């Protein structure tokens, strides 16, 4: 009896094992055929992580060995391109920037404030949010966008801009100026002027030029 029992159990055990193996194989087959993978491109560390991250910035920056800028920022990230971090860089100030620029006598000749700022390849500033510029004439310019090319020594904006001077106010679009903000042009402009200025019928050439609309008192 014991021998017959052993013979009868072996086929049953093998059958059970075969059925289980077949079920697992079928499940894996349907699982693989039902799910379609969409592999994404490889993400490199330099694509998402800054080369340098700093907080609580209050520093002086030199240009050609001469101290030219004083920068204050809550956060400062530097991103670089290329696997060896030797490509063009971008400085990002996502939580705001306060910057003063010095002339050759270390006097402040430009004051810059922005909610968000980017410096591309240490040549082109991109300022966004509440952008405020003050020059040596105590003229204040306010806009939501400003580009500053330090190679061309020019600034421009395609957004609405308002310029407040001790004598008058100007506002308009398509703004362009030199990098000291002492000579500028505004299209679609209007403004408020003192009576003595409006009697001259013109706007001083070294201050502003209206391309379309006449000056309004």
């Amino acid at each position: 009896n014991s021998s017959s029992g052993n013979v009868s159990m072996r086929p049953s055990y093998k059958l059970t094992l075969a059925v289980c193996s077949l079920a697992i194989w079928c499940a894996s087959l349907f699982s693989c055929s039902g799910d379609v993978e969409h592999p994404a491109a490889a993400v490199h560390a330099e694509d998402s992580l800054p080369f340098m991250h700093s907080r609580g910035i209050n520093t002086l920056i030199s240009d050609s060995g001469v101290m030219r800028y004083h920068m204050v920022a809550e956060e400062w990230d530097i991103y670089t391109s290329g696997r060896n971090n030797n490509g063009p860089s971008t400085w990002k100030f996502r939580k705001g920037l306060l910057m003063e620029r010095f002339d050759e006598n270390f006097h402040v000749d430009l004051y810059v404030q922005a909610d968000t700022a980017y410096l591309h390849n240490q040549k082109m500033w991109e300022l966004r949010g509440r952008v405020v510029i003050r020059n040596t004439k105590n003229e204040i310019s306010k806009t939501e966008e400003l580009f500053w090319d330090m190679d061309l020594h020019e600034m421009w904006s395609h957004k609405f801009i308002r310029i407040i001077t001790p004598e008058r106010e100007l506002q308009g679009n398509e703004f362009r100026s030199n990098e000291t903000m002492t000579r500028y042009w505004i299209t679609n402009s209007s403004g408020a002027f003192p009576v003595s200025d409006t009697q001259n019928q013109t706007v001083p050439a070294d201050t502003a030029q209206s391309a379309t609309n006449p000056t309004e008192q």
Side-chain angles (χ1 to χ4, degrees):
N1 292 335
S2 60
S3 61
S4 62
N6 292 336
V7 172
S8 63
M9 288 183 63
R10 286 174 186 158
S12 176
Y13 173 76
K14 291 181 179 180
L15 180 61
T16 303
L17 181 60
V19 171
C20 291
S21 301
L22 179 62
I24 295 174
W25 179 80
C26 291
S28 61
L29 177 63
F30 285 110
S31 176
C32 292
S33 62
D35 297 335
V36 179
E37 294 185 359
H38 300 280
V43 177
H44 302 289
E46 61 268 20
D47 296 333
S48 56
L49 298 176
F51 175 75
M52 186 198 77
H53 174 76
S54 301
R55 294 182 178 179
I57 304 303
N58 189 342
T59 186
L60 297 171
I61 304 295
S62 63
D63 183 5
S64 301
V66 180
M67 204 65 62
R68 292 301 304 272
Y69 303 95
H70 173 217
M71 298 194 311
V72 179
E74 184 175 343
E75 290 187 1
W76 178 17
D77 291 327
I78 297 181
Y79 289 81
T80 57
S81 61
R83 292 188 176 275
N84 297 322
N85 296 315
N86 56 359
S89 64
T90 299
W91 296 4
K92 297 184 179 183
F93 304 88
R94 291 191 177 94
K95 295 188 177 181
L97 173 68
L98 297 174
M99 181 171 62
E100 294 175 321
R101 189 183 64 181
F102 305 118
D103 61 15
E104 60 275 6
N105 298 317
F106 300 102
H107 298 144
V108 177
D109 65 355
L110 196 69
Y111 172 88
V112 179
Q113 177 182 353
D115 287 342
T116 306
Y118 307 94
L119 178 60
H120 304 289
N121 203 20
Q122 300 188 27
K123 294 180 180 180
M124 173 75 73
W125 278 103
E126 179 184 349
L127 309 173
R128 297 193 175 276
R130 292 170 295 181
V131 181
V132 179
I133 307 289
R134 187 174 69 234
N135 63 15
T136 55
K137 297 181 179 181
N138 202 29
E139 297 174 338
I140 300 175
S141 303
K142 298 181 179 181
T143 184
E144 295 181 352
E145 171 196 83
L146 189 71
F147 296 96
W148 174 10
D149 190 322
M150 293 190 293
D151 281 350
L152 297 177
H153 307 290
E154 291 183 350
M155 294 183 176
W156 66 88
S157 175
H158 304 293
K159 299 287 187 179
F160 175 83
I161 189 169
R162 181 185 179 197
I163 301 176
I164 305 170
T165 76
E167 297 83 17
R168 58 182 66 87
E169 290 188 14
L170 289 171
Q171 60 187 23
N173 301 292
E174 295 298 327
F175 167 84
R176 183 174 290 273
S177 79
N178 59 359
E179 65 178 356
T180 58
M181 294 286 287
T182 55
R183 183 178 179 86
Y184 42 83
W185 296 262
I186 306 175
T187 62
N188 300 320
S189 64
S190 63
F193 298 86
V195 175
S196 59
D197 284 352
T198 57
Q199 291 175 349
N200 296 329
Q201 300 292 325
T202 60
V203 180
D206 62 346
T207 301
Q209 177 178 332
S210 176
T212 54
N213 295 343
T215 300
E216 300 176 355
Q217 184 174 349

